[in-house]
């Protein structure tokens, strides 16, 4: 029995040392949360095309309006899970400015995430579900669209932070607590995004909406393994539902 327990703990430590190899994708359709519907299908009178989003995560380093974000979220990756091998350290941690360009999360190896196109496709699906428009399409450039409006998104933050708990007793002993049901770690996802409704004929921005959201997931060895970045799609649904609710109130005045 004792040798069996040692083997289990050894395997857990080996997994921590080697890192996880599973891969996650940005899955909007399957994410928790509904896409809001604001009227019956067929009642929309205008058409809209969704453009690839603009990745502006680097603007915080020179935009005075984002100075707070730049201070809180410095560029690149920070921290190390190996800190958890040191006695008295409660956890190892990592922070990632662009999680899709990094490796090794709390319980995940990589995150396949095309910020410009995955978020644009998510907006397309929510716009379709809302029934606010007679037709919703995708366009790579404004010149390709033959619609009344364009939907444009600007992404300024997709920060990820994760902690793997060692409880001050190092990863060589903390798996005992994990086996007993103590959390093994947490992952936090952030999404800051701005939506714009553009009159295609004039190029004028006639409406905009800012969203800043953050949420976290707690990991156990028995549950939520591999869900380190699962909150990005949920945050995007919150962003789109909030934006479309605001737009549903504004849109009648734009159609006059």
């Amino acid at each position: 029995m004792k040798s069996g327990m040692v083997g289990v703990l050894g395997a857990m430590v080996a997994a921590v040392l080697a890192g996880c190899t599973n891969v996650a994708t940005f899955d909007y359709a399957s994410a928790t949360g509904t896409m809001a519907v604001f009227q019956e299908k067929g009642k929309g009178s205008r058409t809209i095309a969704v453009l690839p989003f603009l990745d502006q995560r680097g603007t915080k380093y020179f935009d005075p309006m984002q100075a707070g974000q730049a201070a809180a979220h410095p560029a690149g990756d920070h921290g190390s899970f190996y800190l958890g091998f040191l006695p008295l350290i409660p956890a190892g941690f990592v922070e990632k400015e662009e999680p899709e360009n990094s490796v090794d999360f709390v319980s995940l190896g990589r995150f396949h995430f095309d910020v410009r196109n995955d978020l644009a496709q998510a907006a397309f699906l929510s716009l379709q579900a809302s029934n606010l428009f007679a037709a919703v399409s995708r366009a790579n450039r404004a010149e390709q669209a033959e619609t009344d409006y364009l939907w444009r998104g600007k992404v300024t933050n997709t920060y990820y932070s994760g902690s793997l708990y060692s409880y001050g007793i190092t990863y060589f002993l903390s798996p005992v607590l994990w086996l007993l049901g103590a959390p093994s770690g947490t992952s936090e996802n952030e999404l800051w995004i701005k939506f714009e409704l553009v009159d295609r004929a004039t190029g004028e921005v006639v409406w905009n909406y800012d969203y800043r959201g953050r949420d976290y997931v707690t990991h156990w060895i028995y549950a939520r393994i591999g869900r380190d970045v699962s909150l990005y799609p949920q945050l995007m649904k919150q962003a789109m539902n909030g934006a479309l609710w605001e737009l549903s109130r504004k849109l009648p005045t734009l159609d006059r």
Side-chain angles (χ1 to χ4, degrees), residues 5-21 81-82 85 104 106 164 170-175 178:
M5 180 62 72
V6 170
V8 170
L9 297 180
M12 287 185 176
V13 172
V16 171
L17 285 168
C20 297
T21 58
F81 286 130
Y82 285 94
F85 285 105
D104 296 333
V106 174
L164 186 63
T170 78
Y171 293 142
F172 294 106
L173 297 176
S174 58
W178 301 350

Side-chain angles (χ1 to χ4, degrees), residues 16-209:
V16 171
L17 285 168
C20 297
T21 58
N22 49 325
V23 177
T25 60
F26 182 88
D27 187 359
Y28 192 67
S30 300
T32 302
T34 59
M35 290 181 279
V37 179
F38 295 94
Q39 61 187 21
E40 294 180 9
K41 190 173 183 178
K43 285 196 171 183
S45 60
R46 298 298 183 99
T47 57
I48 190 169
V50 181
L51 299 176
F53 282 14
L54 301 176
D55 185 351
Q56 297 186 341
R57 287 175 290 183
T59 61
K60 59 179 172 287
Y61 305 113
F62 54 81
D63 181 358
M65 298 296 292
Q66 301 181 69
Q69 184 193 158
H73 302 326
D77 290 3
H78 301 275
S80 172
F81 286 130
Y82 285 94
L83 291 170
F85 285 105
L86 300 176
L88 305 180
I89 300 296
F93 75 96
V94 293
E95 298 175 343
K96 304 174 187 292
E97 181 190 24
E98 299 179 358
E100 76 279 12
N101 293 324
S102 187
V103 295
D104 296 333
F105 299 76
V106 174
S107 65
L108 189 68
R110 290 198 67 92
F111 180 31
H112 287 175
F113 183 30
D114 182 344
V115 170
R116 299 180 70 246
N117 291 298
D118 285 347
L119 293 178
Q121 180 64 15
F124 169 79
L125 293 173
S126 279
L127 282 162
Q128 274 193 323
S130 73
N131 293 333
L132 290 175
F133 294 90
V136 183
S137 59
R138 291 284 308 272
N140 290 326
R141 298 190 304 273
E143 296 79 10
Q144 294 178 337
E146 297 181 357
T147 55
D148 299 305
Y149 294 112
L150 301 171
W151 184 274
R152 190 163 60 194
K154 298 178 179 179
V155 185
T156 60
N157 181 21
T158 59
Y159 217 68
Y160 169 88
S161 62
S163 297
L164 186 63
Y165 299 153
S166 57
Y167 293 98
I169 57 176
T170 78
Y171 293 142
F172 294 106
L173 297 176
S174 58
V176 175
L177 300 180
W178 301 350
L179 284 170
L180 294 175
S184 57
T186 56
S187 290
E188 187 174 87
N189 302 172
E190 279 190 60
L191 177 64
W192 293 19
I193 193 166
K194 180 176 183 177
F195 302 120
E196 295 178 341
L197 187 70
V198 180
D199 186 309
R200 187 192 62 83
T202 66
E204 178 187 1
V205 176
V206 296
W207 170 91
N208 62 72
Y209 181 87

Side-chain angles (χ1 to χ4, degrees), residues 20 22 107-108 184 218-228:
C20 297
N22 49 325
S107 65
L108 189 68
S184 57
T218 301
H219 303 281
W220 287 269
I221 62 170
Y222 307 111
R224 298 177 185 168
I225 297 298
R227 296 188 58 80
D228 308 51

